[in-house]
């Protein structure tokens, strides 16, 4: 499946404007740069997120997909959904650099974080993280699996990012980043 238009647009944004790169800390890898390789064993937990230009008065949602499932040269199952977490709040970071970290509130995940899972015989996969401002009236609990259950594999495969972004009334991404992993 081709790369969704919203993802293409977001990735082209960080090629020309480095100020739009979402801060990622993945396991022991801090300040992950776009395209950096992260072994999948180091990415078993959801990354810590940060960004310089956030408003503490707004709420954000993160969406993450694997563009290359099952293989970069044959991505018929992609994009594969890896995470949707609404209700993120900006919290000031200490230190000279400033900026904001993002913390989950009490909103349930829509799709629990699924760590990288590229097959061992595959080339590295691209795991993209898109941060959006959460629109007023967005109710993630209506989209979340019942009873806080984790999302199975079926709804994650061939995830239509563009459709979900449109149906959720999300605007353009605030920030984006990606890493390669296998």
């Amino acid at each position: 499946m081709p790369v969704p238009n919203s993802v293409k647009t977001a990735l082209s944004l960080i090629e020309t404007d480095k100020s739009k790169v979402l801060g990622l800390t993945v396991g022991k890898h801090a300040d992950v740069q776009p395209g950096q390789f992260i072994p999948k064993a180091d990415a078993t937990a959801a990354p810590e997120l940060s960004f310089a230009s956030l408003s503490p008065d707004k709420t954000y949602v993160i969406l993450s997909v694997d563009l290359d499932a099952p293989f970069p040269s044959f991505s018929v199952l992609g994009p594969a959904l890896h995470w949707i977490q609404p209700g993120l709040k900006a919290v000031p970071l200490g230190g000279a650099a400033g900026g904001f970290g993002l913390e989950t509130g009490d909103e349930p995940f829509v799709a629990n974080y699924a760590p990288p899972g590229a097959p061992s015989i595959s080339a590295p996969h691209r795991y993209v993280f898109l941060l959006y401002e959460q629109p007023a009236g967005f109710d993630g609990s209506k989209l979340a699996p019942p009873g806080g259950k984790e999302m199975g594999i079926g709804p994650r495969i061939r995830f239509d990012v563009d459709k979900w972004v449109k149906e959720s009334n999300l605007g353009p991404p605030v920030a984006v980043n990606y890493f390669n992993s296998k």
Side-chain angles (χ1 to χ4, degrees), residues 110-157:
V110 172
N112 56 295
Y113 176 75
S120 59
I121 61 171
S122 174
H125 288 203
R126 295 167 292 168
Y127 294 88
V128 179
F129 294 81
L130 303 152
L131 182 69
Y132 295 92
E133 188 176 312
Q134 187 170 308
F138 181 90
D139 186 357
S141 65
K142 290 181 179 176
L143 305 169
K149 293 181 180 174
E150 294 187 352
M151 181 180 278
I153 191 82
R156 294 178 184 269
I157 300 302

Side-chain angles (χ1 to χ4, degrees), residues 79-124:
L81 178 63
H82 276 258
W83 193 24
I84 299 176
Q85 177 64 61
L88 300 173
K89 298 300 273 179
V91 192
L93 295 172
F100 294 88
L102 286 156
E103 294 183 355
T104 57
D106 56 1
E107 288 190 47
F109 57 75
V110 172
N112 56 295
Y113 176 75
S120 59
I121 61 171
S122 174

